[in-house]
């Protein structure tokens, strides 16, 4: 067994790190405060092949693997968690289902511009009454000639303030519950679609989260992804990959917090010496780096499983569960090491602390990850 990045991975990580430091980091604090969506960042990321990292080059993507994808999301999230999730959603929740469930025509029309970063995607599954219980969604799709008519409301949709394309889930038969769901690819300029206001949130405040409403929205049959009734499985399989992206995001946020905590502990003097000389601080830092490495390895294990073409629901859920809770603990300790200064907006750790919190909620809460993990070890192994 080899746990080492290839030369290509190191080159990619270093070039994304430069891009993150030079282009993304300088505006991270400002867009967190203003909530401004960094569309220009997304366009530039697309030019570097980061909007569809593991989409094959023939479909407009970067042609790399899942480890490469995790490295990209970690590096971007280290400087700006909003930009990290914007990229993660486009890669794993939008490009991925079209790549795996789309036909050639859908790949040509939708996947290529998304993977090149010319268009931005969002994933519209969650509804006011269907969050953790995603199969209970109430949006409907009624067949009418060669198109469907969709009605319903989606909430908390990342990227939706600026997205060009949405993956939309709606039911063709509510009585069939999760077996009655279909998935659609919908250009956001559809006249039946309206967007709400940008949600002001605790963290990842620049990720363009909003509500979407569909009112008699016509969607051609040709834009249905997979068959009627396959939508729930498409959503679940897609979220398996998405959870790896969120795990990588949590690792990035925690890495940033650890870096700032070490620098601060070496600079800050109390009782006549740097606080890094105190064992209490050293023990904090030792715990932080150990948990962080464990989380990164779990994330890479999930990437490896996906790259091998294995079913990786268990590994993705474990990585998401552990890294999101780890990021919470690491950012909390980083803030504690900074003391009163860490609680001010002058330092970055308060932003990392706020940003980390959502990783325990979106793309399946910690409690949902535990259900998935338990189901695998009890019923499927
Ligand atoms: N891949 C493929 N198929 C899957 C699957 C997977 N990972 N998981 C389940 N399925 C299949 C099952 O095999 C089953 O099929 P059969 O009946 O043919 O056997 C079918 O789907 C139904 O499965 P369950 O009975 O397990 O479904 P459930 O209704 O009990 O729900 C759940 C399971 C795990 C709780 C699921 O509802 C879930 O993951 N909920 C969380 C939803 C979520 O993560 N939402 C995130 C929103 S998107 C977001 O957050 C984006 C963002 O902003 C960044």
């Amino acid at each position: 067994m080899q746990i080492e990045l290839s030369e290509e991975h190191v080159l990619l990580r270093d070039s994304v790190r430069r891009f993150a430091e030079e282009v993304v980091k300088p505006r991270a604090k400002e867009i967190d405060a203003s909530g401004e969506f960094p569309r220009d960042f997304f366009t530039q990321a697309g030019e570097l092949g980061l909007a569809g990292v593991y989409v094959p080059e023939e479909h407009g993507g970067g042609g790399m693997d899942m480890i490469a994808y995790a490295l990209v999301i970690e590096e971007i999230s280290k400087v700006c968690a909003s930009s990290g999730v914007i990229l993660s959603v486009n890669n794993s929740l939008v490009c991925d289902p079209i790549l795996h469930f789309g036909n050639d025509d859908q790949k040509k029309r939708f996947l290529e511009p998304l993977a090149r970063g010319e268009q931005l995607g969002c994933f519209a599954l969650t509804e006011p009454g269907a969050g953790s219980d995603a199969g209970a969604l109430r949006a409907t799709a009624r067949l009418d000639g060669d198109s469907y008519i969709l009605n319903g409301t989606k909430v908390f949709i990342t990227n939706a303030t600026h997205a060009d394309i949405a993956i939309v889930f709606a039911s063709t038969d509510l009585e069939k519950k999760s077996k009655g769901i279909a998935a659609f690819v919908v250009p956001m300029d559809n006249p039946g679609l309206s967007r709400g206001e940008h949600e002001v949130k605790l963290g990842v405040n620049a990720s363009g989260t909003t509500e979407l409403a569909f009112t008699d929205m016509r969607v051609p049959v040709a834009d249905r992804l997979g068959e009627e009734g396959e939508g729930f499985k498409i959503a679940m399989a897609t979220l398996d990959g998405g959870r790896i992206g969120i795990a990588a995001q949590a690792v990035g946020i925690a890495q940033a917090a650890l870096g700032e905590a070490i620098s601060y502990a070496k600079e800050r003097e109390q009782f006549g010496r740097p606080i890094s000389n105190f064992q209490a601080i050293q023990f904090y830092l030792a715990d932080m780096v150990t948990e962080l490495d464990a989380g990164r390895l779990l994330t890479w294990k999930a990437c490896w499983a996906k790259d091998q073409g294995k079913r990786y629901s268990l590994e993705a859920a474990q990585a998401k569960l552990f890294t999101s809770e780890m990021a919470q603990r690491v950012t909390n300790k980083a803030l504690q090491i900074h003391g009163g200064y860490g609680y001010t907006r002058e330092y970055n750790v308060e932003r990392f602390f706020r940003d980390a919190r959502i990783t325990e909620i979106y793309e399946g809460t910690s409690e949902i990850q535990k259900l998935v993990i338990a189901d695998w070890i009890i019923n499927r192994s």
Side-chain angles (χ1 to χ4, degrees):
M1 187 180 187
Q2 198 181 343
I3 305 178
E4 198 179 18
L5 293 178
S6 69
E7 208 175 306
E8 290 79 28
H9 286 138
V10 172
L11 280 173
L12 169 76
R13 185 197 60 198
D14 292 349
S15 71
V16 176
R17 190 171 290 173
R18 266 196 309 280
F19 170 66
E21 285 288 327
E22 289 166 13
V23 176
V24 189
K25 190 174 180 180
R27 284 177 53 212
K29 211 175 205 175
E30 180 196 320
I31 63 172
D32 168 62
S34 66
E36 181 195 339
F37 189 88
R39 181 68 197 236
D40 51 341
F41 145 75
F42 177 74
T43 305
Q44 287 181 65
E47 285 161 7
L48 297 174
L50 311 183
V53 177
Y54 57 88
V55 172
E57 287 175 38
E58 64 188 282
H59 298 307
M64 292 176 271
D65 61 10
M66 282 302 288
I67 297 278
Y69 172 58
L71 292 171
V72 168
I73 300 301
E74 177 181 338
E75 289 303 323
I76 300 295
S77 302
K78 239 165 84 182
V79 301
C80 176
S82 290
S83 300
V85 72
I86 291 167
L87 215 47
S88 174
V89 165
N90 195 76
N91 272 274
S92 46
L93 295 190
V94 183
C95 287
D96 190 282
I98 306 176
L99 178 64
H100 288 105
F101 302 102
N103 57 35
D104 288 346
D105 168 58
Q106 291 167 339
K107 286 180 189 163
K108 182 105 211 108
R109 285 189 293 133
F110 301 122
L111 180 57
E112 289 186 19
L114 285 162
R116 283 198 293 261
E118 292 159 6
Q119 296 206 321
L120 170 73
C122 67
F123 181 81
L125 174 67
T126 303
E127 297 185 0
S132 289
D133 187 6
L137 61 77
R138 306 298 297 171
T140 54
R142 181 170 57 81
L143 189 59
D144 181 45
D146 58 0
S147 57
Y148 288 89
I149 299 176
L150 271 67
N151 282 286
T153 304
K154 302 287 177 179
V155 289
F156 306 140
I157 310 302
T158 302
N159 288 353
T161 55
H162 286 70
D164 307 292
I165 300 283
I167 307 289
V168 173
F169 297 88
S171 178
T172 55
D173 185 347
L174 286 170
E175 285 192 0
K176 289 188 181 164
K177 301 194 172 154
S178 65
K179 291 191 174 14
I181 297 172
F184 301 90
V185 189
V186 180
M188 298 275 287
D189 59 3
N190 188 306
L193 184 154
S194 61
R195 316 177 200 226
E197 293 292 306
H198 157 246
E199 297 273 3
V200 178
K201 309 187 295 284
L202 176 71
V204 290
N205 199 31
S207 63
T209 307
T210 194
E211 180 177 304
L212 296 177
F214 316 129
T215 312
D216 294 333
M217 178 172 82
R218 263 192 189 273
V219 178
V221 171
D223 294 351
R224 191 189 63 221
L225 213 48
E227 299 300 321
E228 278 188 16
E230 284 182 358
F232 189 72
K233 289 187 184 179
I234 293 176
M236 291 297 111
T238 300
L239 282 164
D240 284 342
R243 288 166 185 166
I244 298 178
I246 301 308
Q249 182 193 32
V251 169
I253 297 169
Q255 180 66 62
L258 174 67
E260 301 228 351
I262 294 172
S263 305
Y264 185 82
K266 283 160 79 174
E267 264 166 34
R268 171 75 170 164
E269 293 198 1
Q270 287 292 276
F271 304 102
R273 49 197 169 133
I275 62 170
S276 60
N277 284 14
F278 293 108
Q279 204 176 48
I281 302 296
Q282 291 172 359
F283 281 10
Y284 272 167
L285 294 172
D287 284 342
M288 290 156 78
V289 74
T290 304
E291 285 203 80
L292 180 50
D293 277 357
R296 188 181 285 113
L297 287 172
L298 273 178
T299 306
W300 287 358
K301 185 181 172 200
C303 291
W304 174 83
K306 185 169 194 282
D307 281 337
Q308 299 303 304
K310 296 174 189 290
R311 179 84 184 257
Y312 59 95
S313 310
L314 170 65
E315 289 82 357
Q318 287 178 303
K320 159 91 162 61
L321 172 66
F322 183 82
T323 55
S324 59
E325 297 193 346
M326 173 278 290
Q328 188 63 27
R329 291 189 292 271
V330 167
T331 55
N332 190 31
K333 284 186 180 129
L335 201 152
Q336 190 70 14
I337 289 169
H338 281 72
Y341 289 108
Y343 200 65
T344 68
R345 296 267 154 137
E346 192 185 337
Y347 285 80
N348 287 321
V349 283
E350 64 82 29
R351 173 162 56 91
F352 302 150
F353 177 74
R354 289 186 287 106
D355 287 344
R357 190 65 181 81
I358 188 61
T359 63
E360 292 177 90
I361 299 172
Y362 56 24
E363 304 206 24
T365 60
S366 288
E367 294 72 20
I368 291 296
Q369 306 313 318
K370 287 181 192 179
L371 286 182
V372 172
I373 293 165
D375 183 39
W376 272 86
I377 59 169
I378 296 168
N379 304 319
R380 295 172 194 255
S381 301

